Amino acid sequence: MALCLKQVFNKDKTFRPRKKFEPGTQRFELYKKAQASLKSGLDLKAVVQLPPGESINDWIAVHVVDFFNRINLIYGTMSEYCTEKSCPIMSGGLKYEYRWQDDSKYKKPTKLSAPQYMCMLMDWIEMLINNEDIFPTRIGVPFPKQFQQVCTKILTRLFRVFVHVYIHHFDSIINMGAEAHVNTCYKHFYYFIREFSLVDHRELEPLKEMTERICH
């Protein structure tokens, strides 16, 4: 029996405390503006556009953190169905396999199960967005030169979560009654990365047919 959407997405199934924006900061005001646009039912293509007079890096930072929270929660709601046994390889069907690499434990691309990959990914993103040298929160502190490059890497890896969920676990999403919510999150994410060319088009291939169907 399908679960009520509110019940599903209010459950505290995230892996860790959610990153939040401090009230009173410019980033918090931008976040509120973005959320208000989403709730108003505007065209998602319009919602992702940079508001006049705002900093592009601030806008990207707000969305990267928000997408991290949302996608972390989406995966958390169906993680019980994604196990070492069901998903021994982090993949998107038979054609796409994703290996993990970072600058510490896994210095070479390493084959991991999907649950292991997801855990490494969320820890890695959390570390980056909490790093003041990369995602500064203090007024007057500039973003580093490589900021957008880091965001591209984060968003590329978050896209792979959608790939795995849609290809391997969409039946579970449907059974939970969460299909419409996940589709809306995906469309918001997709329009944002396309608006600012933040993910290479080759990375988008695994969901190309579905994207053409739901993202007009």
Side-chain angles (χ1 to χ4, degrees):
M1 187 170 72
L3 294 173
C4 164
L5 259 186
K6 187 176 180 183
Q7 183 185 357
V8 171
F9 288 96
N10 278 353
K11 284 185 178 179
D12 185 19
K13 287 193 173 182
T14 49
F15 295 105
R16 57 209 26 91
R18 293 174 59 164
K19 167 83 174 183
K20 295 179 180 176
F21 302 102
E22 291 298 321
T25 63
Q26 183 183 11
R27 202 95 29 97
F28 180 71
E29 295 306 315
L30 267 183
Y31 173 72
K32 286 199 300 183
K33 187 181 292 186
Q35 293 302 303
S37 295
L38 272 178
K39 290 173 183 174
S40 69
L42 292 175
D43 176 8
L44 286 171
K45 283 184 182 177
V47 164
V48 300
Q49 294 171 8
L50 180 67
E54 298 293 356
S55 154
I56 186 171
N57 281 342
D58 274 320
W59 191 239
I60 290 174
V62 163
H63 282 80
V64 167
V65 173
D66 193 40
F67 287 135
F68 165 66
N69 286 333
R70 290 171 183 271
I71 295 169
N72 186 30
L73 184 55
I74 286 172
Y75 181 72
T77 63
M78 42 69 59
S79 58
E80 63 191 280
Y81 306 106
C82 184
T83 65
E84 301 285 332
K85 187 175 180 180
S86 69
C87 305
I89 297 171
M90 174 58 182
S91 60
L94 298 174
K95 192 175 178 182
Y96 300 95
E97 178 184 322
Y98 302 119
R99 299 189 176 190
W100 181 257
Q101 183 177 15
D102 53 38
D103 296 325
S104 52
K105 188 176 179 180
Y106 298 97
K107 297 190 176 180
K108 293 182 179 179
T110 304
K111 185 180 294 189
L112 297 177
S113 68
Q116 287 177 306
Y117 186 101
M118 298 295 187
C119 194
M120 296 299 299
L121 173 60
M122 299 307 173
D123 282 342
W124 174 76
I125 296 175
E126 184 187 30
M127 176 192 70
L128 289 173
I129 64 179
N130 285 315
N131 185 335
E132 284 286 331
D133 292 332
I134 300 172
F135 280 75
T137 58
R138 296 185 300 278
I139 295 173
V141 177
F143 286 91
K145 289 182 181 179
Q146 77 275 21
F147 175 70
Q148 290 191 25
Q149 186 179 343
V150 171
C151 289
T152 286
K153 198 165 185 178
I154 291 172
L155 293 168
T156 297
R157 289 180 169 183
L158 281 175
F159 182 81
R160 295 171 182 177
V161 180
F162 278 120
V163 172
H164 185 75
V165 167
Y166 271 116
I167 293 177
H168 294 278
H169 300 293
F170 202 59
D171 285 349
S172 300
I173 294 294
I174 291 173
N175 290 337
M176 289 189 289
E179 180 181 3
H181 180 88
V182 175
N183 283 349
T184 299
C185 287
Y186 176 75
K187 288 164 72 173
H188 185 202
F189 182 90
Y190 176 79
Y191 289 138
F192 184 80
I193 62 174
R194 297 304 291 161
E195 175 73 14
F196 300 103
S197 302
L198 290 167
V199 175
D200 190 291
H201 71 277
R202 291 170 294 185
E203 284 282 344
L204 308 179
E205 280 295 315
L207 297 181
K208 184 179 179 181
E209 289 183 14
M210 186 206 73
T211 302
E212 289 174 350
R213 191 170 69 249
I214 71 172
C215 300
H216 306 298

